[in-house]
Amino acid sequence: MTETTTRFHTTVTERQGFRSCRRRWYYDTVRRLARKNQVPWNLIYGEAVHTGLEHYYLDWNKPRLRKKFLLEAFVAAWEKERDEVLMVDYGSFYDMGIGDEWIRYRDLGLVMLEYYDLFESKQRFFEDIIAVNVEDRAFVDILTPDGTKMLDRPLLSGRIDLVGERKDGKIWIMDHKTAAQTPSYAALDVDDQITGYAYIWWRITGELPRGVFYNCLVKDPPKAPRVNQDGNLSKDKSQRTTFDLYRAEIKAQGLKVADYTEILAALQKSGWSRYFVRDGSERNMEEIESFQERLYYEVDDMLAALEDENYRYPNPSQWNCQGCSMLAICRTHEEQGDVDWVIDDLYEELPSRHEIPQEILSPEWKGV
Ligand code: SF4
């Protein structure tokens, strides 16, 4: 959530944060607090990967060059983060471990994206690319349940990474993600983020996409197969390798393919599924209408939570709180301690995550 003097703004992903814990949403999203000297690795690495993919799909019609643009754009984003943020914000700490860790992320990203190009070329998803990184961030007015604009015109925004047309002529949205482990997408049929992207696209184009896919790149790319002490290749099917890498290693070691038929068959069957996961779900007009109605009531709750601390109640549980960077504040709240002191001592305020473009803030903006 971003608060401006004139417009309230929330995003497709911030809404999930609000529903999962209002207290965390308030400190993390509204006040933009972050633990001092803690680098948000997942966020900054994810952003660099997104930048690489943006250029990859912008250059979709240059198949011989797009991998080059993918890697160059990723490295450029990585360098920008290093020079303009990490070295500036962390000063001498950069040379005391932060820099080495960031280099590790760069090397990981280069391998992951190299393989991504191979994966995409073998499992081409779109026939045609329609839009990449739509308007950087698309903004729409949040509407009342009967479809009219609210008085103070709060906004919903989302970054739509990629829109394309599949072989059957249907339009799909693709949302890029990075994850530490192979994700399970078991509830995509009701996933609210998916509906949110379909909703925004429908609002800005008048066209309902067939659905939305998550395009997840797992931050643990495949490696060459292990070589046993006797010089043979390991036949452990759980090792993180691929059919192509295994075949290449058989050749490199001068071994016989016939000795490895079982593991090669298993690797061929699993393909890239442990490293890149694409899964999605369709949406229809009724689901879009349900989303629009629920969005109104949710924003109403957000506005109440901004006004009144009692509506910023927490959602504490073993499952929900693991890894929460606001835990120190939250515990102090529960102990009825000095929250301001904890914030001053342990936290810093980050700049606003999303700026609303001036033309949208202007009274002349007619809205979407
Ligand atoms: S520790 Fe749990 S309850 Fe407290 S703010 Fe974080 S997620 Fe919410």
Side-chain angles (χ1 to χ4, degrees), residues 208-275:
L208 183 65
R210 171 52 67 95
V212 180
F213 260 81
Y214 287 136
N215 181 43
C216 183
L217 291 75
V218 180
K219 293 181 277 188
D220 189 3
K223 301 173 183 63
R226 291 196 298 272
V227 182
N228 294 331
Q229 283 184 342
D230 61 7
N232 291 313
L233 301 188
S234 165
K235 293 179 181 173
D236 176 3
K237 289 181 190 150
S238 68
Q239 62 186 313
R240 292 187 72 77
T241 189
T242 64
F243 178 84
D244 290 336
L245 285 171
Y246 208 99
R247 283 286 303 239
E249 195 64 25
I250 289 173
K251 196 171 170 199
Q253 301 283 342
L255 300 168
K256 289 190 201 139
V257 171
D259 292 335
Y260 297 95
T261 51
E262 198 179 320
I263 185 164
L264 283 171
L267 290 171
Q268 193 157 37
K269 190 164 174 225
S270 65
W272 290 96
S273 61
R274 285 190 287 169
Y275 313 104

Side-chain angles (χ1 to χ4, degrees), residues 26-84:
Y26 176 71
Y27 287 112
D28 180 14
T29 306
V30 179
R31 294 194 47 187
R32 298 285 292 131
L33 297 182
R35 289 291 292 245
K36 286 177 184 165
N37 295 327
Q38 268 189 12
V39 183
W41 294 115
N42 288 340
L43 190 72
I44 62 176
Y45 176 70
E47 280 300 318
V49 170
H50 265 81
T51 305
L53 291 172
E54 179 187 338
H55 286 263
Y56 183 69
Y57 287 105
L58 277 171
D59 289 302
W60 184 247
N61 293 324
K62 299 172 191 156
R64 270 185 282 165
L65 286 174
R66 64 188 179 215
K67 182 171 95 175
K68 176 175 175 295
F69 293 141
L70 165 74
L71 300 178
E72 282 178 357
F74 167 74
V75 171
W78 180 92
E79 287 173 346
K80 189 166 189 281
E81 180 70 27
R82 177 194 62 190
D83 299 342
E84 296 180 15

Side-chain angles (χ1 to χ4, degrees), residues 20-21 23-24 314-317 320-321 324-327 330-331:
S20 107
C21 179
R23 181 177 282 167
R24 179 171 54 197
N315 181 15
S317 74
N320 201 29
C321 303
C324 174
S325 57
M326 303 299 142
L327 200 141
C330 187
R331 184 158 189 210

Side-chain angles (χ1 to χ4, degrees), residues 83-96:
D83 299 342
E84 296 180 15
V85 181
L86 294 178
M87 292 177 95
V88 176
D89 287 359
Y90 297 97
S92 58
F93 287 109
Y94 185 84
D95 294 323
M96 293 164 64

Side-chain angles (χ1 to χ4, degrees), residues 4-7 155 355-365:
T4 71
T5 50
T6 52
R7 305 291 287 270
L155 293 161
E355 294 297 340
I356 305 177
Q358 275 309 314
E359 71 264 23
I360 291 177
L361 289 174
S362 149
E364 274 81 55
W365 190 66

